[in-house]
Amino acid sequence: MPVSSQHIGQFYNQPVQEVTLSNQSGMSVSILTLGGIIRCLHVPDSDGELKDVVLGYDSLADYAKDIHYMGAIIGRVANRIEGAQFNFNGETIQVDGNAYEGKHCVHGGRFGYHHRVWQIARVDETGDEISLWLVLEDADGEEGFKGNVEVSAKYTLTNTNQLRLDISASSDIASPMSMTAHSYFNLNGHESGSINNHLLHIPSDHALQQKLDRIPNGEIVSVRHTAFDYSLG
């Protein structure tokens, strides 16, 4: 299972690498140290033809100005923090108001994990799989969040054409953490147009209702017979 790495540019004077993992079937995934971004994911279709099934940009400059968090790891807190502040252990914590004209904190702030350069810890090859480990030191006070946090992201590609991402974090004090990955997929290939022929199944009967600025209002509502009903029932 080969692995390759190349320097693709700088982000705020920090070098950014692109690491590509490949398996015996020709499947490959390219990951940027900027944001842990999955830039390309070439997968063989039923005819054995390789197609890139994730959306991404051609240049590092495009990722630097991207507002859609394309393919990145999101943290410390994914989604929205209303008013860019929250109460934690009796203290009001003010965080970066990076969206909605500065009113709310979205996806960890302006320099959340999507706009941080991660470090390559190691590459492991065991049996029928290969793994890339990226690590990030998130210091106390970054974007207003408290505590020093160590984050690890492990990308694993197998010879059975599986891609896994395992994310873990530890903090030296109690701190809210809510991370996710933010890839956009088109299983027909990213240049093939609409995804209207895709079938999506989400085994959930309810969702959080939203108020202005897409902030949950605390109400749990049924998704049956709405645009959010993906139960296939």
Side-chain angles (χ1 to χ4, degrees), residues 41-60:
L41 180 60
H42 290 92
V43 179
D45 63 14
S46 57
D47 298 320
E49 181 182 354
L50 290 173
K51 292 183 177 179
D52 183 5
V53 298
V54 299
L55 277 62
Y57 296 110
D58 293 328
S59 73
L60 186 62

Side-chain angles (χ1 to χ4, degrees), residues 12-88:
Y12 285 87
N13 296 320
Q14 300 174 83
V16 176
Q17 298 291 117
E18 180 177 36
V19 181
T20 300
L21 309 177
S22 303
N23 71 8
Q24 296 176 358
S25 302
M27 180 176 170
S28 65
V29 57
S30 295
I31 301 155
L32 305 185
T33 54
L34 174 63
I37 291 168
I38 296 176
R39 192 181 76 83
C40 298
L41 180 60
H42 290 92
V43 179
D45 63 14
S46 57
D47 298 320
E49 181 182 354
L50 290 173
K51 292 183 177 179
D52 183 5
V53 298
V54 299
L55 277 62
Y57 296 110
D58 293 328
S59 73
L60 186 62
D62 288 326
Y63 282 107
K65 63 184 180 183
D66 172 43
I67 62 172
H68 302 294
Y69 304 87
M70 197 80 73
I73 294 175
I74 306 300
R76 289 187 191 188
V77 178
N79 218 315
R80 289 148 180 78
I81 298 177
E82 186 176 13
Q85 65 177 26
F86 58 93
N87 293 317
F88 193 70

